[in-house]
Amino acid sequence: MTVAQQSLISPTASPELEKALRDRVDRRSAIAGGLGELEPLAVRLGLVQNSLTPRFRDPVLALFASDHGIVVDGVGTQWGRATRDQVQMALHAQLPVSVFARLQGLHLTVVDCGVAENLPPHARLLARKVAHGTRNARTAHAMSPEQAHAGVRVGMEIADNLPGNVLACAGMGQGSAECAALILSRLADQPVRDFVVSGPAMRQDDLVHLLDVLHGALARHRDAREPMDLLAAFGGHELAVMVGAMLVAASKRSLIIVDGIAACAALKLASLICTPVTDYAVFCRSHVHRGLDEALALFRASALLELGMDSADGTGAALAWPMIRSAAALLTDLHEVAEARLTARHEHGANVPTPGA
C-alpha cells in the first residue's frame, strides 16, 4: 500500500459550518467586544474538528531529532551542541521549551528518528531510529529510498498511536535547518539563500561557505523533484518521520501545530502527497530569521505569535498553546446569553434580576 493510499484526508472546507462558527463568534463579539486574531483562529479550530464546540485532549509536543551528514562540511552546528546533547537537555528540562511545555500542559516527547549516537532510555524519549544519521547530501543521497519510506511509516505509526487530537511538530538536530532549506528551495524554485537561517551574527565568509555546500548538494541532486525523491536526496530522517506523522494526524482530524523551518519542509512534502493536510495546520515560530519568513509565505500563513525569539524549535508552539486553547474556549466555554434576557434587562433596567442569576 502506498503512502497516499494510507493518507485519506478530508478537506476542512464546509461553508455551512463556517457560517455557523462565524455567527457564534460574532455573538460573543457583540456582547464583549472583538477579540482580534482569536476569532478567525476559533473558526479554524471548529473546521478542523468539524464541530461547533472544538475540544482538545492530551496535546503532544514532539521534537523529532536526527543527525545529518552534511554537517561534516562544517555547516549546521547551531549553538555548537551535538544533537545528542540537545536531546538530553530537552529531556532533562534544561531548555525553555521543556519548561514551557510542562507549564502549559503539553506532553513533551523527543523522537529519536536518526541521532548518530545511541541514547539512554528516558520516559519522554521515543526510540524510533531509522538509521544512525544520514549521509552527506553534497556527495551522495542522504538516505536510501527504503529509509525514506521507512521514516514516513514510523511517523504514521507514531501519530496513529497518539491518544489525543493535537500534535505540535518541531525538528531538532545539527543540519536539520539546512536540509529543510534545500528541500524548500527545490519545491519553491527559489534560491536556497532565501531559506537559510542566517542573521547579523553570521560572518560573511561563513555564509559563503554554507551556500557553497548547499549549492553543491542541489547540483548533485538536480533531478530530484518528487516528495520521496527529495527526502532521499537531502534528508533528514526527522523530516520523513514528520511527514508520516502529519499525514495520519490530519486523517484523524487532529490539529497540527507547525514550528520551525524543518516542520514547514515536512508539511510542504506532506501536502504534495495529500493536499488537504495543510487544512489542519497552524503555524508558530521560535526564530525571527528571514528563511522562516519565506517558508511561511509558501503557505500564505503567518505565525500565531511574533515574540522576537531565537530559541529551539518547539518553544513557539509551547507559548502559542494557551492562545489556541483560548480561541477554542470562545466556542466551548463562553456561555450563551439569551436574547430575551438581554431584552428584559434593557426594557426594565439593569437591576432587574434574571432567572438563574
Side-chain angles (χ1 to χ4, degrees), residues 274-346:
C274 198
T275 303
V277 67
T278 56
D279 289 3
Y280 295 85
V282 295
F283 296 83
C284 305
R285 67 187 306 161
S286 303
H287 305 275
V288 295
H289 64 76
R290 187 170 72 94
L292 188 53
D293 292 337
E294 293 294 332
L296 292 172
L298 297 181
F299 301 98
R300 297 180 177 86
S302 57
L304 294 178
L305 295 175
E306 296 280 353
L307 298 177
M309 295 187 296
D310 187 17
S311 188
D313 284 352
T315 310
L319 292 172
W321 177 237
M323 178 180 177
I324 295 169
R325 291 179 62 199
S326 297
L330 288 180
L331 298 168
T332 59
D333 295 349
L334 195 62
H335 294 172
E336 292 281 1
V337 178
E339 193 66 36
R341 185 181 303 176
L342 286 178
T343 302
R345 290 173 66 83
H346 177 73

Side-chain angles (χ1 to χ4, degrees), residues 17 21 42-43 45-55 253 331:
L17 176 60
L21 287 163
V43 173
L45 300 177
L47 291 172
V48 164
Q49 290 197 4
N50 194 32
S51 170
L52 281 171
T53 55
R55 297 186 184 278
R253 299 199 81 104
L331 298 168

Side-chain angles (χ1 to χ4, degrees), residues 73-160:
D73 280 332
V75 302
T77 54
Q78 191 178 26
W79 299 306
R81 289 196 297 266
T83 303
R84 183 185 190 278
D85 294 337
Q86 295 177 41
V87 168
Q88 292 299 322
M89 292 178 75
L91 291 173
H92 294 93
Q94 294 171 323
L95 294 178
V97 61
S98 310
V99 176
F100 296 157
R102 187 186 72 240
L103 287 173
Q104 307 304 344
L106 288 161
H107 180 77
L108 180 73
T109 298
V110 181
V111 185
D112 177 5
C113 308
V115 179
E117 302 168 82
N118 289 322
L119 298 168
H122 191 282
R124 288 190 295 276
L125 177 65
L126 199 56
R128 294 292 186 273
K129 201 187 299 284
V130 177
H132 292 264
T134 66
R135 294 183 290 274
N136 186 353
R138 187 184 63 80
T139 59
H141 275 74
M143 298 185 281
S144 68
E146 293 76 18
Q147 288 174 330
H149 281 89
V152 173
R153 288 195 298 272
V154 164
M156 288 179 158
E157 175 258 327
I158 289 172
D160 196 41

Side-chain angles (χ1 to χ4, degrees), residues 5-6 37 60 113 166 173 190 202 244 259-260 265 304 319 336:
Q5 288 171 320
Q6 293 181 47
E37 294 302 315
V60 171
C113 308
V166 180
Q190 290 178 224
M202 179 175 277
D259 186 354
L304 294 178
L319 292 172
E336 292 281 1

